Amino acid sequence: MTLKKTVAELADFLGGVFQGDGSVLISGLGTLETAGPEFITFMANPKYAAKVAETSAGAVLMSPGGERYGRTAIEVANPYLAFAKLLTLFYTKPHEAVGVLPGANVSDTAKIGEETSIYPGASIGKNVTLGARTTIYSGAVLYDNVIVGNDCIIHANAVIRERCRIGNRCVIQPGAVIGSDGFGYAPDGSGYYPIPQIGIVVLEDDVEIGANSCIDRAAIEVTRIARGTKLDNLVQIAHNCQIGEDCMIVSQVGISGSAKIGNHVTLAGQVGVAGHLTIGDNVMVGAQSGVPSSLPPNGIYSGSPTMPHREWLKSSMVLPRLPEIKKTVAALEKRVAELEARLNQPLEES
Amino acid sequence: MTLKKTVAELADFLGGVFQGDGSVLISGLGTLETAGPEFITFMANPKYAAKVAETSAGAVLMSPGGERYGRTAIEVANPYLAFAKLLTLFYTKPHEAVGVLPGANVSDTAKIGEETSIYPGASIGKNVTLGARTTIYSGAVLYDNVIVGNDCIIHANAVIRERCRIGNRCVIQPGAVIGSDGFGYAPDGSGYYPIPQIGIVVLEDDVEIGANSCIDRAAIEVTRIARGTKLDNLVQIAHNCQIGEDCMIVSQVGISGSAKIGNHVTLAGQVGVAGHLTIGDNVMVGAQSGVPSSLPPNGIYSGSPTMPHREWLKSSMVLPRLPEIKKTVAALEKRVAELEARLNQPLEES
Amino acid sequence: MTLKKTVAELADFLGGVFQGDGSVLISGLGTLETAGPEFITFMANPKYAAKVAETSAGAVLMSPGGERYGRTAIEVANPYLAFAKLLTLFYTKPHEAVGVLPGANVSDTAKIGEETSIYPGASIGKNVTLGARTTIYSGAVLYDNVIVGNDCIIHANAVIRERCRIGNRCVIQPGAVIGSDGFGYAPDGSGYYPIPQIGIVVLEDDVEIGANSCIDRAAIEVTRIARGTKLDNLVQIAHNCQIGEDCMIVSQVGISGSAKIGNHVTLAGQVGVAGHLTIGDNVMVGAQSGVPSSLPPNGIYSGSPTMPHREWLKSSMVLPRLPEIKKTVAALEKRVAELEARLNQPLEES
């Protein structure tokens, strides 16, 4: 953590332009409120622009043309992204290859790439292929014939079952399970006959899987998570699902079998998706929603069952007033009946 | 995967009857669309009957009396079940007993049955009993005094805590936890005193537990999953639950403490069930439903809280129209008030 | 399990007062229905008071002044709590220190306290500190620089990632993950750039974490679970959350990033909580509810989105009647229109 860089060097690293004193030394990152003179901070939300005047930070990442109140600044198109890149630069260690440590159980027939790390208690099955610079932490289990690409991190106690394939730069958090048997049974009159799940799971490049999430292998072919998609913790992906590129699947989402999810789809926490449907590209689904049938591209949906998000906002505001509405309707029925009765009386009697 | 059988042999194996050329050689299975001449396919849904005319498959599994368009066919009562049985025949390997492999941690006092397999990194506690032909994969942990029956598969990193009992032919997917402490605390005025959970979990024969599912041990007696019941991934079964036979509990369902679930019950994904209630035999509960109180046998329910499924279908169709209904009711109130005012005016003035 | 105590001794142990025969020998606990003469039972719910007359139990724990029907009784302020304490006394074993067993992978640089137990297949990283009388079961993995206090139980296959800190008397059930990376990504125009999650998780004293629950490390600072809080199974706590003291977080609850939960908060099963909000002290939220925004202290809430619990009870009772209400409103519209038409006709024509 003793890395120090000048503002000019950081601007260069980020492809940005510095304003002010390029020689200021930076050794870390902080928020507008907490960063000190050797730290750099960022201003991404215009709401907080005035805080730039008061920060003690040595420099500020901001959008081009932002008011810098005399501070030293680095102008970048995306200050939040730049902040993330500096976090990586200052606070993460480059991959350290430790090799196969004592206590790791590695099959003789496994093909282990260069500069890999396999920690004690990890188990690597027959004919497993591990790419270069990949790390397997303690207790992770790779069944026979698994293929893992380069620069992957497989955290402790994650499990990858037989024949599944993991791309490059994938991260699998602790306890995640890739390739468990799909939930498929044929009723046989009395009980259920388990249908062999002979397919696999494929994670393409840059996929990340959250802690204790589960991705079932396909019944016959492939359950696929396409390039760049990120899954949060405790997510369930059932067999035969096809998840597109660059999706964000938030914690505790469950997707039923054979669902097809497009690219750039966001499913918020605890969403449930029925099986055998299609969700179009760029769809966003609000938290706890239930998707019973296909959704066309580019919409925002909420509710269980789902409806357009704006409708749901309005509809859910009426829910607490239902008892009142029910009462009013009952009262109206009476009043209308009375009116009808009066109008049906001979007029002279009224 | 080099197994080859004639159609006549397969008909015999399935207890069915072939029509056409019984000498056709079959080496695998496929769908109506993808199966080639050495493959067998199945037609279970009458909707797809016409596809039989076009398939390239060497043979088709179908119901007796179905139109076979001149194809070689095997007639069986349940073509889908027959397909599952052939998947097993062609694509799954018989149990291979590898014994206790180096790197497995097995207590001296464990009783290990014949033809078992214990993989590196598995841990078997004191006085554990393992039946014949049972497989324990890497990283699975069996605490002291666990009993596992014959022909079970305990996948990687599954945990079975002390004294729990697993029947015959059970399958436990990776990361599942059997016998964790029930969530029981006694408020002691300031905080919570943990109530010892001294009971166990019993899984009867042919039970299957999904990846990362959790089944808590009973407070004092037994949490029981009866014969033939299947749990999907990430399911929660709280302490003291009694789950009946041949139930299907889909992913992310949560069942609260001391609930009693009948036989042949289906709970769809993300259903929540309150504690200390009874769900009758053959009940089906729709996805994301919340069951707040007991349900009599044989019904279909949905919603949170649950109502009969048909009512829920109609009710949920009204939800998006609530804002409109609220508006209409408000307008009606005004219109009725106006009518009332007019009728209360002396008639001559109108 | 051969411990025997007289009723007088147990009354003394519990700080209660016995009525009847203090010399009765007790060797275990049971329910009012099942306990025999050497067993003690408890009566906490006045509904079951009459059962005291019929129990075969040797003694009954009850509130001071309760009708004991001639039974030997121990009067205590909180009979349920007393029962829990006797369960601990009779049925749980004191910590047995077995040391570091063969097959455990323990770094040379780990500092291991007195009377600890580390089981085969557990992995303890560099510079880990373990307090006295702490137990680490098989397959549990502690990454580098983890600190665990005294008298903790870390169950099988639980994972604690780098630098996280666990207080005293904490219990972590099997498969739980502490310190997984928070779900933070910066859109970079095409895909998502992973934001390094450099913070940690702190569990304070007496915290318990359920099986397969996940607690993400903070992006920069600390995700904190305060003293005495209990989490059930399969709970998700996202990065930067601050959970107060003595909370009860029931199974499958999900709490989004940077949420701040007060003290003594109860979240029932499958509740979802949005990010960046505050829930006040003593709040209770009903099962399956969705909390979209901050809640003031001391309330009871339900629904998705949440409303006061009593409103929700009434509102949800109307849900099944929505189709009928919609129909009635449509009929009323017609009837009112007719009335209006009639009133607008010249009176002489009516």
Side-chain angles (χ1 to χ4, degrees):
Chain A
M1 305 282 181
T2 56
L3 182 73
K4 291 197 187 195
K5 296 272 183 191
T6 66
V7 163
E9 287 169 328
L10 294 179
D12 192 48
F13 170 78
L14 294 167
V17 174
F18 74 84
Q19 306 288 351
D21 181 358
S23 71
V24 169
L25 269 178
I26 298 297
S27 65
L29 291 87
T31 63
L32 280 163
E33 291 86 355
T34 63
E38 273 212 2
F39 286 71
I40 190 166
T41 185
F42 77 110
M43 211 287 291
N45 188 337
K47 208 165 71 178
Y48 302 126
K51 292 196 175 180
V52 172
E54 292 157 28
T55 185
S56 303
V60 182
L61 295 160
M62 55 170 59
S63 298
E67 169 61 61
R68 60 186 179 92
Y69 297 94
R71 305 285 159 184
T72 291
I74 299 177
E75 295 181 346
V76 286
N78 186 338
Y80 185 53
L81 177 61
F83 189 77
K85 287 183 174 172
L86 293 189
L87 279 172
T88 307
L89 180 68
F90 280 96
Y91 296 107
T92 65
K93 282 184 279 188
H95 176 76
E96 185 198 7
V98 301
V100 178
L101 292 177
N105 306 297
V106 180
S107 162
D108 292 343
T109 57
K111 294 171 261 319
I112 310 295
E114 294 186 353
E115 300 183 61
T116 49
S117 303
I118 305 181
Y119 281 83
S123 296
I124 310 293
K126 291 179 197 160
N127 302 312
V128 166
T129 301
L130 289 189
R133 296 170 305 282
T134 276
T135 300
I136 312 289
Y137 280 100
S138 294
V141 178
L142 279 58
Y143 281 51
D144 296 349
N145 301 301
V146 161
I147 299 176
V148 178
N150 300 325
D151 302 293
C152 289
I153 300 174
I154 313 294
H155 275 288
N157 291 343
V159 175
I160 308 176
R161 277 190 47 190
E162 63 275 18
R163 295 182 284 115
C164 291
R165 301 203 302 258
I166 313 294
N168 300 303
R169 296 174 304 280
C170 291
V171 179
I172 299 182
Q173 297 290 332
V177 175
I178 314 292
S180 35
D181 289 326
F183 195 63
Y185 299 90
D188 65 2
S190 57
Y192 291 98
Y193 181 91
I195 301 170
Q197 303 289 308
I198 61 175
I200 62 169
V201 174
V202 170
L203 305 188
E204 296 185 355
D205 293 345
D206 300 297
V207 166
E208 305 198 11
I209 305 296
N212 284 341
S213 284
C214 302
I215 305 175
D216 280 351
R217 63 198 311 112
I220 298 186
E221 300 177 329
V222 172
T223 303
R224 180 179 301 271
I225 315 281
R227 188 201 52 71
T229 282
K230 318 296 185 190
L231 268 65
D232 200 350
N233 303 336
L234 294 166
V235 167
Q236 154 73 356
I237 307 287
H239 56 180
N240 313 320
C241 281
Q242 308 296 313
I243 314 289
E245 299 186 351
D246 292 314
C247 293
M248 298 294 273
I249 315 281
V250 180
S251 181
Q252 297 178 324
V253 164
I255 304 184
S256 305
S258 304
K260 197 164 177 303
I261 313 290
N263 299 323
H264 302 281
V265 169
T266 300
L267 304 178
Q270 299 185 333
V271 161
V273 177
H276 297 275
L277 56 65
T278 299
I279 295 185
D281 293 347
N282 309 309
V283 164
M284 300 180 70
V285 181
Q288 293 193 322
S289 299
V291 184
S293 51
S294 294
L295 296 174
N298 303 315
I300 307 180
Y301 299 88
S302 285
S304 178
T306 39
M307 59 191 88
H309 181 68
R310 295 173 70 98
E311 278 184 34
W312 174 80
L313 278 178
K314 286 181 199 163
S315 164
S316 61
M317 278 173 59
V318 180
L319 287 178
R321 315 201 45 185
L322 283 183
E324 182 194 321
I325 290 173
K326 177 163 166 278
K327 230 175 175 173
T328 306
V329 169
L332 279 172
E333 275 202 291
K334 273 197 203 162
R335 288 162 67 184
V336 168
E338 253 172 62
L339 288 168
E340 288 168 336
R342 285 175 67 181
L343 274 184
N344 287 336
Q345 287 173 339
L347 280 176
E348 54 269 31
E349 294 183 28
S350 79
Chain B
M1 305 285 181
T2 56
L3 182 72
K4 293 198 185 195
K5 296 270 183 193
T6 65
V7 163
E9 286 169 330
L10 294 179
D12 192 49
F13 170 78
L14 294 168
V17 174
F18 73 85
Q19 305 287 351
D21 180 359
S23 71
V24 169
L25 268 178
I26 298 297
S27 66
L29 292 85
T31 62
L32 281 162
E33 290 87 355
T34 64
E38 273 212 0
F39 287 71
I40 190 166
T41 186
F42 77 111
M43 211 286 292
N45 188 336
K47 209 163 71 177
Y48 302 128
K51 291 195 175 181
V52 172
E54 292 158 28
T55 185
S56 304
V60 182
L61 296 159
M62 54 170 60
S63 298
E67 169 60 59
R68 60 186 179 92
Y69 295 95
R71 306 284 160 187
T72 290
I74 299 177
E75 294 182 347
V76 286
N78 187 338
Y80 185 52
L81 177 62
F83 189 77
K85 287 183 174 171
L86 293 189
L87 279 173
T88 307
L89 180 69
F90 280 96
Y91 295 109
T92 66
K93 281 183 281 185
H95 176 75
E96 184 199 7
V98 300
V100 179
L101 291 178
N105 306 297
V106 180
S107 163
D108 292 344
T109 57
K111 294 171 261 318
I112 309 295
E114 294 185 352
E115 300 183 60
T116 49
S117 303
I118 306 181
Y119 281 83
S123 296
I124 310 294
K126 292 180 196 161
N127 301 312
V128 165
T129 302
L130 288 191
R133 297 170 304 282
T134 276
T135 301
I136 313 288
Y137 279 101
S138 294
V141 178
L142 279 59
Y143 282 51
D144 296 348
N145 300 301
V146 161
I147 299 175
V148 178
N150 301 325
D151 302 295
C152 288
I153 299 174
I154 314 292
H155 274 289
N157 291 342
V159 175
I160 307 176
R161 278 192 46 191
E162 62 273 18
R163 295 181 284 114
C164 292
R165 301 203 301 259
I166 313 295
N168 301 304
R169 296 174 304 280
C170 290
V171 179
I172 300 181
Q173 296 291 332
V177 175
I178 314 293
S180 35
D181 288 327
F183 196 63
Y185 299 90
D188 65 3
S190 58
Y192 292 98
Y193 181 90
I195 301 170
Q197 303 289 306
I198 62 175
I200 62 170
V201 173
V202 170
L203 305 189
E204 297 184 356
D205 293 346
D206 299 298
V207 166
E208 305 199 10
I209 305 294
N212 285 340
S213 284
C214 301
I215 305 175
D216 279 351
R217 64 197 311 112
I220 298 186
E221 300 177 331
V222 172
T223 303
R224 181 179 300 272
I225 315 281
R227 188 201 53 71
T229 282
K230 319 296 185 193
L231 269 64
D232 200 349
N233 302 335
L234 294 166
V235 167
Q236 154 73 357
I237 308 288
H239 56 179
N240 314 319
C241 280
Q242 308 296 312
I243 314 290
E245 299 186 351
D246 292 315
C247 293
M248 298 295 273
I249 316 279
V250 179
S251 182
Q252 298 179 324
V253 164
I255 305 184
S256 304
S258 303
K260 197 163 177 301
I261 312 292
N263 300 324
H264 302 282
V265 169
T266 300
L267 304 178
Q270 300 185 331
V271 162
V273 177
H276 297 274
L277 57 66
T278 298
I279 295 184
D281 293 348
N282 309 312
V283 164
M284 299 180 70
V285 181
Q288 293 193 321
S289 299
V291 184
S293 52
S294 294
L295 295 175
N298 303 315
I300 307 180
Y301 299 88
S302 284
S304 177
T306 38
M307 61 191 87
H309 181 68
R310 294 173 69 98
E311 279 184 33
W312 174 81
L313 278 178
K314 287 181 200 163
S315 164
S316 60
M317 277 173 61
V318 181
L319 289 178
R321 314 198 49 183
L322 284 182
E324 181 194 322
I325 291 174
K326 177 165 165 278
K327 227 175 178 174
T328 305
V329 169
L332 280 171
E333 274 203 291
K334 271 198 203 161
R335 287 163 68 183
V336 168
E338 250 171 65
L339 287 168
E340 288 168 337
R342 285 174 67 180
L343 275 182
N344 288 336
Q345 286 174 342
L347 280 176
E348 55 270 31
E349 293 183 29
S350 78
Chain C
M1 304 285 181
T2 57
L3 182 73
K4 292 198 185 195
K5 296 271 182 190
T6 66
V7 163
E9 287 170 328
L10 293 180
D12 192 50
F13 170 78
L14 293 168
V17 175
F18 74 84
Q19 306 287 350
D21 180 0
S23 70
V24 169
L25 270 178
I26 299 297
S27 66
L29 292 86
T31 63
L32 281 162
E33 290 87 355
T34 64
E38 273 211 2
F39 287 71
I40 190 165
T41 186
F42 76 111
M43 210 288 290
N45 187 336
K47 208 164 72 177
Y48 302 127
K51 291 196 174 179
V52 172
E54 293 157 28
T55 185
S56 304
V60 182
L61 295 160
M62 55 171 59
S63 298
E67 169 59 60
R68 61 186 178 91
Y69 297 95
R71 305 286 161 184
T72 290
I74 299 177
E75 294 181 346
V76 286
N78 186 338
Y80 185 53
L81 177 61
F83 189 77
K85 287 183 174 171
L86 293 189
L87 278 173
T88 307
L89 180 68
F90 280 96
Y91 296 108
T92 66
K93 281 183 281 187
H95 176 76
E96 184 198 6
V98 300
V100 178
L101 292 177
N105 306 297
V106 180
S107 162
D108 293 343
T109 58
K111 295 172 259 318
I112 309 296
E114 294 185 353
E115 299 183 62
T116 49
S117 303
I118 306 181
Y119 281 83
S123 296
I124 311 292
K126 292 181 196 160
N127 302 312
V128 166
T129 302
L130 288 190
R133 297 171 304 282
T134 276
T135 301
I136 312 288
Y137 280 100
S138 294
V141 178
L142 280 58
Y143 281 51
D144 295 349
N145 301 301
V146 161
I147 299 176
V148 178
N150 301 325
D151 301 295
C152 289
I153 300 174
I154 314 292
H155 275 289
N157 291 343
V159 175
I160 308 176
R161 278 191 47 189
E162 62 274 20
R163 294 181 284 113
C164 292
R165 302 204 301 260
I166 312 296
N168 301 304
R169 298 175 302 280
C170 290
V171 178
I172 300 182
Q173 296 291 331
V177 175
I178 315 292
S180 36
D181 289 326
F183 196 63
Y185 298 90
D188 66 3
S190 58
Y192 292 98
Y193 181 90
I195 301 169
Q197 303 289 308
I198 62 176
I200 62 169
V201 173
V202 170
L203 305 189
E204 296 185 355
D205 293 346
D206 299 298
V207 166
E208 304 197 11
I209 305 295
N212 284 341
S213 284
C214 302
I215 305 175
D216 279 351
R217 63 198 311 114
I220 297 185
E221 301 177 331
V222 172
T223 303
R224 180 179 301 272
I225 315 282
R227 188 201 54 70
T229 283
K230 318 295 186 192
L231 268 65
D232 200 349
N233 302 336
L234 294 168
V235 167
Q236 154 73 356
I237 308 287
H239 56 180
N240 314 319
C241 282
Q242 308 295 313
I243 313 290
E245 299 186 351
D246 292 315
C247 293
M248 298 294 273
I249 315 280
V250 180
S251 181
Q252 297 179 324
V253 164
I255 305 184
S256 305
S258 303
K260 197 164 178 302
I261 312 292
N263 299 323
H264 302 281
V265 169
T266 300
L267 304 179
Q270 299 185 332
V271 161
V273 177
H276 298 274
L277 55 66
T278 299
I279 295 185
D281 293 347
N282 309 310
V283 163
M284 300 180 70
V285 180
Q288 294 194 321
S289 299
V291 184
S293 52
S294 293
L295 296 175
N298 303 316
I300 307 181
Y301 299 88
S302 285
S304 178
T306 39
M307 59 191 88
H309 181 68
R310 294 173 70 97
E311 278 184 35
W312 174 80
L313 279 178
K314 288 181 199 163
S315 164
S316 61
M317 277 172 61
V318 180
L319 287 178
R321 315 199 46 185
L322 284 183
E324 181 193 322
I325 290 173
K326 174 163 167 280
K327 228 174 175 172
T328 305
V329 169
L332 280 171
E333 275 203 290
K334 271 197 204 163
R335 288 162 68 183
V336 168
E338 253 171 62
L339 288 167
E340 289 168 337
R342 286 174 66 179
L343 275 183
N344 287 335
Q345 286 173 338
L347 281 175
E348 55 270 33
E349 293 183 30
S350 78

